Amino acid sequence: MIPEIGHFALLLCLPLALVMAIVPLIGVAAKNSVWMRFASRLAVMQWLLLFFSFLALSYSFYIDDFSVKLVTLHSNTALPWYFKLSAVWGNHEGSLLLWVLILASWTLAVAVASNSIPLAMKTRVLSVLAMISVGFLAFIIFTSNPFERSLLMTPSEGNDLNPLLQDIGLIIHPPMLYIGYVGFSVAFAFAIAALLEGRFDANWARWTRPWTNVAWAFLTVGIALGSWWAYYELGWGGWWFWDPVENASLMPWLAGAALVHSLSATEKRGVFKSWTILLALLAFSLSLLGTFLVRSGILVSVHAFASDPERGLFILAFLFLVIGGSLLLYALRAPVMKGGTAFALISRENFLLINNVLFSISLTVVLLGTLFPLISTALDLGSYSVGAPYFNAMFAPLGLLTVFIMGFAPFITWQKFKLFKHQSIQWALCFLMALLLSVLLIHTLSQQFSVNFNVFAFVVSSLCLWLILNTLQHFFFRLKQGGRFFHSFSQLSLSYYGMVIAHIGLAVMVLGIGITSIYESQKDVRMAVNDSVSINAYRYQLSGISSVTASNYDATRASVDVYHRAKGESSRLITTLYPEKRFYRASRNMMTEAGIDASLTRDLYVALGEQLEPGVWAVRVHVKPFVRCIWLGAVFIALGAILATFDKRYKRSNSVRSEPALASPPNH
Amino acid sequence: MHPIRKQRLFVVLFIVVGSSLAAFFIISALKQNLNLFYEPSRVANGEAPIDRQIRVGGMVAEGSLIRQTNSLAVNFIITDFAANVAVEYTGILPDMFAENAGTVVTGFLSESGTFFAEQVLAKHDENYMPPEVSAALDSAKQSATQLNN
């Protein structure tokens, strides 16, 4: 009964969303505020219905209701309760339900938190969000019903959740990623609303910015979690594979990074208006493209749950509708936009422009590398794949250039930047200090890991340290400007703190990527008990092999002792790692569970390959310096974006602006 | 020239030059890193190049998997049931790699016809077959039936 009620609630949402997409817009045209206000109520109802529907599906998973097909296919009585619940979105249908629930949640948030925005604008935004909701609800209802029952008989046991997905990282990775993906729909809706209304002022950018920041922050965390999960769960120690599915999430992130920055120029100086609108349309379109790539089954990966051409066609049609429709509207309305005030060649406006150019080029690189194989296959030109070296070769220079330019960014003033002599001296000193610290860092690293001094690593770390030091220099410069030292801490705006933290985060991330890529070492070896293998300063010794039995799998567990010998010291035991090879009984899948000793400066990593003969295993060992910095940097970036969202100016402007919105007279 | 126009000209020039440079680099890097897929039959026909990285996919032939006893080197044969390609690889094979299962290998073909794999991919669950492999098997099957007729 519960699944039927859940299904019914889901079905009800479609007409509800349709009404919400049309009626309030008519209200806007007719200046009828009663009809306009209707949108918020519908947003609340839609959210309640979808939340209930999602609860119903979760309940079916929780109680192992195998009469529901989805539960049979993706769950099992032996699963612990938290994996039963995360199995809800470990499949195509359930993850779509999560998707629409998150869309409804964003819609609800806009409805509740935007009382200060003029009613007509808010109504348009909500209606556009409802249109997107209609598309996804139709998709889920007509092609991917999660509540479908098995008609013939109820199986007594389920097929189990894919063991790869039985992991804490995978419980939170999809919701985070979806919150980010779907969050761009708000920026999209604001852009469409602005195009409909023909209003593109600084206020528009101020309303859109917090939403965009939050969405981008969640997307950052989601991507980082996915990378972290791949690192320890896929068993091979890689943290980014340039896999099309990863690229599908990276593209909206790059567009979002450009959007976050161009919005600031639009808000503060009224420039780049039409470009900002275009980016907002692009970011969400890329989210949809990502959904299409992942959900249509044309890509081969862990994420491709089901290949069903009908589903692919549906999303493709929806994609064309959204992109085509929004670009058409853009083409009709964008010429109305007027540029802001003029600015000099060296100005913050132009620095933000350079940021946007760099991110757009990166986006093109990923887009081309991801779509080319698909297009060539579709046109029968041969089945290509694009190798990771392509992406690496493009991203290394782009990333380093970005980091170098970002070092100057906070100092550059709006409109026109005047370079004073003391300023250039400070920069030069800062750069020298970065070089010095970088020599020290790379030298220490080479000592610690017994590797050679690498010039490229030196370049990478110099640039990253330059960015960190110069950003900090600007921060202290601002603190000193504020008068009394501790008083001025509270004087600086949250969005400034956000910028400082996010920029330092990027430096930390690039540093992590650079050092790991250059200094990581890996060996695949054949090992019996008491065999050992040395990597640089580390020695891994296989000390034992045992069997382990858990509720839903059997495993072979090895114990590997790791010894370290720094230059001129004697070898000492650091840790013992326990990598496992698991056999999941229900799905008859083999899984590799890596043994990792993590620390900020290096990860020691062991994974079991296959058993070659009794007691002899193929083993992969890694030493990965600074790999944690990659995810730490991502957390900083997300934190910075969130901090900027809580800037006082978004609240203050809201309370000031709330009066005209409330005062707009109802039209009877 | 009016300063604003002059400045706009700079910006436009910057964008045009920058993006054409970027396009040039992107396309040349892309060209160098495209790995074309070949079925075993096409490799046997001599269609596959030997000087660049390619991918070959098919089924791992039954009884063909041989491990060296003192290292991680393995030899196996990839077949589409019309032709075979001998593969040599050193390293750890993926969890789902097995005889009579689909695989796709990336690497270089040698003059002697042995394929030196740098990466071996296998299907990632029981029911899944890489689309390129199933297409390769289908086309081999079709040409076989045509021959029989």
Side-chain angles (χ1 to χ4, degrees):
Chain A
M1 201 46 198
I2 296 280
E4 273 70 30
I5 302 176
H7 190 199
F8 185 66
L10 178 65
L11 291 177
L12 262 185
C13 285
L14 184 60
L16 201 84
L18 262 175
V19 172
M20 186 175 157
I22 298 166
V23 172
L25 276 187
I26 298 176
V28 173
K31 297 207 165 63
N32 181 333
S33 74
V34 176
W35 282 31
M36 287 196 251
R37 283 176 208 287
F38 199 37
S40 298
R41 303 227 174 93
L42 286 171
V44 177
M45 277 164 69
Q46 178 185 238
W47 184 82
L48 284 174
L49 283 171
L50 278 173
F51 185 64
F52 177 77
S53 180
F54 189 80
L55 275 185
L57 187 63
S58 307
Y59 179 74
S60 302
F61 269 90
Y62 183 70
I63 61 158
D64 299 312
D65 183 353
F66 292 124
S67 69
V68 177
K69 232 181 185 173
L70 201 64
V71 181
T72 317
L73 288 175
H74 301 286
S75 189
N76 186 288
T77 50
L79 278 178
W81 66 270
Y82 43 89
F83 287 142
K84 281 181 188 168
L85 290 184
S86 74
V88 173
W89 55 80
N91 59 77
H92 170 81
E93 289 83 354
S95 70
L96 267 177
L97 188 60
L98 178 67
W99 176 288
V100 288
L101 175 65
I102 290 173
L103 179 59
S105 308
W106 277 105
T107 313
L108 180 73
V110 173
V112 172
S114 309
N115 284 328
S116 51
I117 295 178
L119 186 59
M121 183 79 182
K122 178 182 168 185
T123 307
R124 284 198 176 100
V125 170
L126 288 176
S127 284
V128 174
L129 285 170
M131 289 175 200
I132 300 167
S133 186
V134 168
F136 274 95
L137 283 168
F139 181 50
I140 199 170
I141 288 169
F142 296 122
T143 73
S144 330
N145 175 13
F147 293 101
E148 198 177 330
R149 296 266 198 177
S150 339
L151 288 178
L152 292 174
M153 49 178 273
T154 300
S156 58
E157 186 54 282
N159 288 0
D160 203 3
L161 176 66
N162 183 343
L164 277 175
L165 308 183
Q166 296 183 21
D167 181 83
I168 176 77
L170 255 284
I171 294 180
I172 38 182
H173 159 69
M176 289 290 153
L177 202 63
Y178 281 10
I179 294 174
Y181 265 174
V182 182
F184 284 136
S185 66
V186 181
F188 175 86
F190 267 98
I192 295 285
L195 287 171
L196 285 173
E197 194 169 322
R199 165 180 189 160
F200 319 94
D201 46 17
N203 284 334
W204 175 83
R206 180 157 50 228
W207 298 326
T208 314
R209 261 185 104 179
W211 299 105
T212 313
N213 273 359
V214 175
W216 189 66
F218 273 102
L219 190 58
T220 310
V221 172
I223 296 174
L225 274 172
S227 151
W228 178 58
W229 168 82
Y231 171 74
Y232 69 78
E233 189 69 18
L234 290 183
W236 307 118
W239 46 270
W240 192 262
F241 301 89
W242 295 110
D243 171 286
V245 173
E246 291 171 329
N247 294 349
S249 66
L250 186 61
M251 288 189 282
W253 187 86
L254 290 168
L259 178 60
V260 163
H261 290 91
S262 84
L263 267 173
S264 96
T266 307
E267 184 200 342
K268 291 284 182 55
R269 306 294 306 169
V271 292
F272 311 147
K273 281 177 192 161
S274 53
W275 170 243
T276 304
I277 297 256
L278 189 63
L279 271 179
L281 301 180
L282 188 70
F284 183 60
S285 301
L286 287 167
S287 298
L288 284 184
L289 178 72
T291 317
F292 165 68
L293 291 177
V294 177
R295 287 285 161 265
S296 62
I298 56 172
L299 291 181
V300 180
S301 83
V302 215
H303 300 74
F305 295 127
S307 324
D308 183 342
E310 192 190 324
R311 289 173 181 168
L313 217 60
F314 191 105
I315 310 184
L316 197 62
F318 187 59
L319 191 67
F320 274 113
L321 200 71
V322 170
I323 297 180
S326 57
L327 284 185
L328 183 70
L329 188 65
Y330 178 76
L332 291 175
R333 288 305 190 99
V336 182
M337 281 177 256
K338 293 232 171 65
T341 39
F343 47 88
L345 195 59
I346 309 285
S347 59
R348 186 172 289 183
E349 285 90 334
N350 264 337
F351 264 65
L352 289 168
L353 186 68
I354 295 172
N355 155 300
N356 272 240
V357 170
L358 286 170
F359 276 105
S360 306
I361 294 175
S362 314
L363 178 61
T364 315
V365 168
V366 183
L367 191 70
L368 213 64
T370 311
L371 292 189
F372 183 83
L374 300 175
I375 294 168
S376 75
T377 309
L379 299 179
D380 241 357
L381 298 173
S383 177
Y384 288 95
S385 76
V386 177
Y390 158 73
F391 296 102
N392 294 338
M394 299 308 300
F395 267 78
L398 280 170
L400 292 181
L401 188 63
T402 307
V403 166
F404 177 65
I405 295 174
M406 275 168 75
F408 298 102
F411 293 90
I412 309 297
T413 45
W414 292 108
Q415 213 158 3
K416 188 174 171 64
F417 175 70
K418 252 207 192 119
L419 181 61
F420 293 106
K421 200 169 170 194
H422 70 267
Q423 183 70 81
S424 41
I425 293 171
Q426 276 171 358
W427 282 347
L429 282 176
C430 190
F431 200 78
L432 270 177
M433 190 131 112
L435 289 180
L436 222 73
L437 278 177
S438 173
V439 171
L440 208 67
L441 174 73
I442 301 295
H443 178 73
T444 319
L445 267 179
S446 342
Q447 289 285 316
Q448 184 74 7
F449 297 98
S450 307
V451 285
N452 293 328
F453 191 92
N454 182 303
V455 178
F456 189 55
F458 168 70
V459 172
V460 173
S461 74
S462 303
L463 288 173
C464 292
L465 286 169
W466 147 255
L467 171 52
I468 294 173
L469 290 176
N470 220 19
T471 308
L472 285 178
Q473 179 180 315
H474 188 261
F475 178 62
F476 287 116
F477 169 75
R478 286 283 296 269
L479 277 186
K480 248 177 30 194
Q481 253 185 350
R484 278 178 302 144
F485 196 73
F486 286 103
H487 173 70
S488 53
F489 264 109
S490 57
Q491 287 297 304
L492 294 176
S493 68
L494 278 180
S495 56
Y496 178 73
Y497 278 111
M499 182 277 287
V500 169
I501 290 174
H503 282 200
I504 290 178
L506 188 88
V508 170
M509 185 162 86
V510 173
L511 186 69
I513 292 172
I515 301 286
T516 310
S517 309
I518 295 164
Y519 278 140
E520 73 171 335
S521 28
Q522 170 212 323
K523 271 184 185 166
D524 291 354
V525 285
R526 186 187 164 88
M527 279 182 128
V529 174
N530 290 331
D531 281 357
S532 68
V533 55
S534 292
I535 295 191
N536 304 331
Y538 294 90
R539 188 166 62 84
Y540 292 73
Q541 182 167 31
L542 183 63
S543 57
I545 290 174
S546 59
S547 298
V548 182
T549 305
S551 71
N552 55 343
Y553 62 83
D554 302 309
T556 304
R557 177 185 288 173
S559 41
V560 178
D561 297 329
V562 189
Y563 299 88
H564 179 248
R565 178 203 292 270
K567 262 183 193 154
E569 285 173 38
S570 60
S571 175
R572 66 190 169 85
L573 178 71
I574 309 173
T575 181
T576 303
L577 301 173
Y578 301 98
E580 286 180 18
K581 198 72 176 183
R582 290 183 183 168
F583 177 72
Y584 283 81
R585 288 186 292 265
S587 55
R588 311 197 61 74
N589 266 330
M590 295 291 279
M591 275 291 307
T592 305
E593 201 76 12
I596 302 173
D597 180 53
S599 80
L600 194 60
T601 53
R602 56 105 188 96
D603 270 22
L604 306 171
Y605 189 112
V606 183
L608 288 179
E610 52 193 325
Q611 189 172 22
L612 302 171
E613 50 194 79
V616 181
W617 283 78
V619 180
R620 172 167 294 182
V621 290
H622 285 282
V623 175
K624 287 186 163 296
F626 278 51
V627 69
R628 296 279 143 182
C629 288
I630 300 173
W631 307 302
L632 184 71
V635 170
F636 277 14
I637 294 173
L639 192 69
I642 293 284
L643 267 187
T645 312
F646 289 107
D647 195 303
K648 268 185 283 180
R649 92 169 160 273
Y650 300 119
K651 287 182 201 152
R652 204 187 304 136
S653 69
N654 282 355
S655 58
V656 170
R657 246 153 270 276
S658 63
E659 285 146 25
L662 288 174
S664 66
N667 202 329
H668 291 292
Chain B
M1 214 189 304
H2 192 274
I4 291 182
R5 286 224 177 136
K6 195 170 166 187
Q7 183 216 333
R8 282 213 181 131
L9 187 71
F10 267 120
V11 171
V12 168
L13 269 180
F14 170 74
I15 292 174
V16 168
V17 173
S19 49
S20 22
L21 260 177
F24 170 76
F25 283 122
I26 292 173
I27 288 168
S28 58
L30 189 61
K31 255 173 140 176
Q32 282 167 22
N33 288 292
L34 282 178
N35 308 322
L36 191 49
F37 180 86
Y38 290 90
E39 298 85 5
S41 308
R42 286 173 66 203
V43 176
N45 277 345
E47 287 177 44
I50 52 170
D51 53 343
R52 60 175 299 156
Q53 186 161 293
I54 57 167
R55 291 178 303 135
V56 176
M59 302 291 271
V60 181
E62 192 165 358
S64 72
L65 183 64
I66 300 163
R67 284 204 172 81
Q68 304 300 316
T69 49
N70 53 359
S71 71
L72 288 178
V74 287
N75 295 78
F76 56 90
I77 288 170
I78 295 183
T79 181
D80 58 3
F81 301 112
N84 294 340
V85 175
V87 181
E88 199 173 310
Y89 173 69
T90 303
I92 295 175
L93 292 167
D95 288 337
M96 300 305 286
F97 183 90
E99 290 181 354
N100 282 323
T103 186
V104 177
V105 294
T106 310
F108 291 86
L109 192 65
S110 69
E111 301 258 10
S112 64
T114 304
F115 190 88
F116 290 94
E118 285 167 1
Q119 188 190 34
V120 176
L121 297 175
K123 55 181 191 168
H124 50 71
D125 70 50
E126 285 283 289
N127 319 312
Y128 180 76
M129 176 77 91
E132 287 169 329
V133 173
S134 60
L137 295 181
D138 284 348
S139 71
K141 213 181 272 171
Q142 268 172 16
S143 53
T145 43
Q146 275 165 11
L147 283 178
N148 291 340
N149 294 341

